[in-house]
Amino acid sequence: MKFFIDTANLAQIKEAQDLGVLDGVTTNPSLMAKEGITGAENVKNHYLKICEIVDGDVSAEVIATDLEGMKKEGDALAALHPQIVVKIPMIKDGVKALKYFSDKGIKTNCTLVFSAGQALLAAKAGASYVSPFIGRLDDISTDGLALIEQIRIIYDNYGFATEILAASVRHTMHVIECAEIGADVMTGPLSSIEGLLKHPLTDSGLATFLADHAKAAQ
Ligand code: E4P
């Protein structure tokens, strides 16, 4: 299972990278705005800074919602750095754009996916990644994990190469449940990754080992 971090915060990306388990980064216009990154040049430079920190795929989202605009923006983003994956929304022109980039050999991440039908379309159009937003489904009392299960079955039935990128992950249990279901990738905040480290018995066990060692050394 690949671990992506879902942020545009450089310090957090570096912290996850330093842990040695990071496979990539996802961003979106809201996450870029949260870091105060505005203006085309600043946005491009920020993507380059992220690519310098991580070794893997970095999703950069288009703002255009028409086919020609998405093609133009996506081509420019892809030309920035070989690690850039063009993030395209699940709308009609977005499906056409996925096919356009797939035909050119440019990697894509189809975002804002909330149904199995949308995920099937994205795979048919040749998306490299499909991003079902599980946290946002949970927010409206719908089972986000059930959607991942459904997509897993559909993709396995037909051998689609599109990777299931569980997005809108909110906490560590989401990560574990996605791993059980067989999501190829998860993207979440740093806390969802670091939460995997934690167990009270590890902390108390280590404290005991160190205390016993100190006593024996006296
Ligand atoms: C996916 O790539 C999105 O950036 C993201 O996971 C959205 O998550 P949110 O619902 O926590 O905003």
Side-chain angles (χ1 to χ4, degrees):
M1 184 191 207
K2 291 186 204 167
F3 280 6
F4 288 178
I5 188 169
D6 196 29
T7 183
N9 182 287
L10 298 180
Q12 288 183 18
I13 293 169
K14 173 129 182 36
E15 205 164 330
Q17 173 66 22
D18 288 349
L19 195 57
V21 298
L22 193 66
D23 301 293
V25 177
T26 51
T27 63
N28 63 41
S30 304
L31 292 171
M32 294 294 270
K34 195 173 162 195
E35 298 305 315
I37 315 296
T38 53
E41 275 315 296
N42 291 337
V43 167
K44 280 182 196 166
N45 286 335
H46 201 74
Y47 286 137
L48 289 174
K49 285 182 194 164
I50 294 174
C51 290
E52 275 167 30
I53 299 172
V54 297
D55 297 325
D57 288 343
V58 175
S59 287
E61 188 159 341
V62 297
I63 305 298
T65 53
D66 65 297
L67 179 59
E68 286 316 310
M70 282 190 264
K71 282 181 181 176
K72 198 171 157 210
E73 245 186 272
D75 277 329
L77 288 168
L80 267 183
H81 196 281
Q83 284 169 242
I84 294 285
V85 172
V86 182
K87 204 170 179 190
I88 305 278
M90 173 35 79
I91 54 177
K92 197 169 186 179
D93 274 9
V95 174
K96 295 176 190 172
L98 290 171
K99 179 79 173 77
Y100 165 81
F101 288 115
S102 155
D103 286 347
K104 287 182 83 175
I106 291 174
K107 288 179 92 171
T108 52
N109 174 356
C110 181
T111 191
L112 291 168
V113 166
F114 293 95
S115 76
Q118 291 177 326
L120 179 55
L121 256 185
K124 291 277 295 173
S128 314
Y129 296 104
V130 65
S131 287
F133 278 34
I134 60 173
R136 292 194 194 184
L137 281 169
D138 289 354
D139 289 346
I140 57 157
S141 306
T142 305
D143 191 346
L145 291 163
L147 175 60
I148 303 281
E149 267 175 317
Q150 235 186 327
I151 300 171
R152 182 73 283 157
I153 292 167
I154 291 169
Y155 283 10
D156 288 350
N157 279 347
Y158 298 100
F160 284 119
T162 304
E163 292 185 63
I164 303 172
L165 197 175
S168 187
V169 159
R170 298 277 165 77
H171 47 72
T172 299
M173 276 313 294
H174 268 156
V175 180
I176 295 164
E177 285 159 344
C178 284
E180 283 175 342
I181 293 166
D184 300 292
V185 193
M186 79 84 201
T187 191
L190 181 62
S191 58
S192 68
I193 299 173
E194 289 189 335
L196 295 165
L197 272 168
K198 293 178 191 150
H199 198 286
L201 290 178
T202 305
D203 298 339
S204 61
L206 182 61
T208 304
F209 286 156
L210 295 179
D212 289 345
H213 173 77
K215 260 187 256 164
Q218 275 166 11

